[in-house]
Amino acid sequence: MTPRTDPLTLEVVELIGTVVARYHEEYEHAAAEHALTGAQARVLGLLAHEPLPMRRIAQRLKCEPSNVTGIVDRLESRGLVERRPDPADRRVKLAAPTEAGRSTAEELRAALGFAREPLGGLTFAERTVLKELLRRMLGMDADDGAEDSAGAAGTDPGEGAAPLR
């Protein structure tokens, strides 16, 4: 006998799907505004946090390293990314954003307002609970990529709702 899923779980799954679809739609639109593909924009967004080897980029995007090489080649030809030797291992090349690449990544992030605006209507405590629930759903430990709650939420700690940057 197949276990039945309760209506609440089905509704939550449907809402998550809607959020994901809207995020991808807005992300693709923001990327197109910069004449980038969604994959190029995602790579640029990853590199804005830290330079990464191609293999690590591929792992994070869940694709083949050869795909990442082509994406980085195109970003490099536009002056948004550069390859550098890894200081820890000279045999490894890191992809790193140029100043123009960092600026573009910031503009892309700023263009994603559909989630920020509704999230800004939640209190700091509500956003913190939502963040922790999403991290649990993803199987992430509290220390995985953890930053202080204020930084992660995009606002100063406080009870009232505050706009996100």
Side-chain angles (χ1 to χ4, degrees), residues 1-11 13:
M1 182 172 173
T2 305
R4 295 188 125 165
T5 304
D6 65 281
L8 177 59
T9 299
L10 291 173
E11 185 176 356
V13 168

Side-chain angles (χ1 to χ4, degrees), residues 55-123:
R55 190 166 307 284
R56 178 96 42 83
I57 296 168
Q59 288 169 342
R60 293 205 182 153
L61 296 180
K62 299 187 182 352
C63 69
E64 293 298 316
S66 60
N67 292 344
V68 171
T69 299
I71 293 168
V72 170
D73 286 346
R74 288 185 287 286
L75 291 171
E76 189 175 36
S77 72
R78 293 195 43 200
L80 299 173
V81 169
E82 63 186 8
R83 287 177 168 91
R84 307 178 181 158
D86 185 341
D89 183 348
R90 294 182 330 193
R91 298 168 297 175
V92 175
K93 292 283 187 195
L94 300 177
T98 61
E99 193 56 45
R102 269 190 289 283
S103 175
T104 301
E106 286 175 22
E107 290 173 19
L108 285 166
R109 199 171 316 120
L112 301 176
F114 96 87
R116 251 193 336 271
E117 292 165 12
L119 284 171
L122 301 177
T123 66

Side-chain angles (χ1 to χ4, degrees), residues 9-25 114 134 137:
T9 299
L10 291 173
E11 185 176 356
V12 169
V13 168
E14 190 172 310
L15 289 169
I16 290 170
T18 302
V19 168
V20 168
R22 286 188 61 194
Y23 175 83
H24 281 292
E25 180 181 313
F114 96 87
L134 291 170
M137 285 180 67

Side-chain angles (χ1 to χ4, degrees), residues 124 127-128 131 147-158 163-165:
F124 178 81
R127 289 192 308 269
T128 300
K131 179 188 82 166
E147 48 185 320
D148 70 311
S149 294
T155 178
D156 294 325
L164 298 176
R165 289 177 282 233

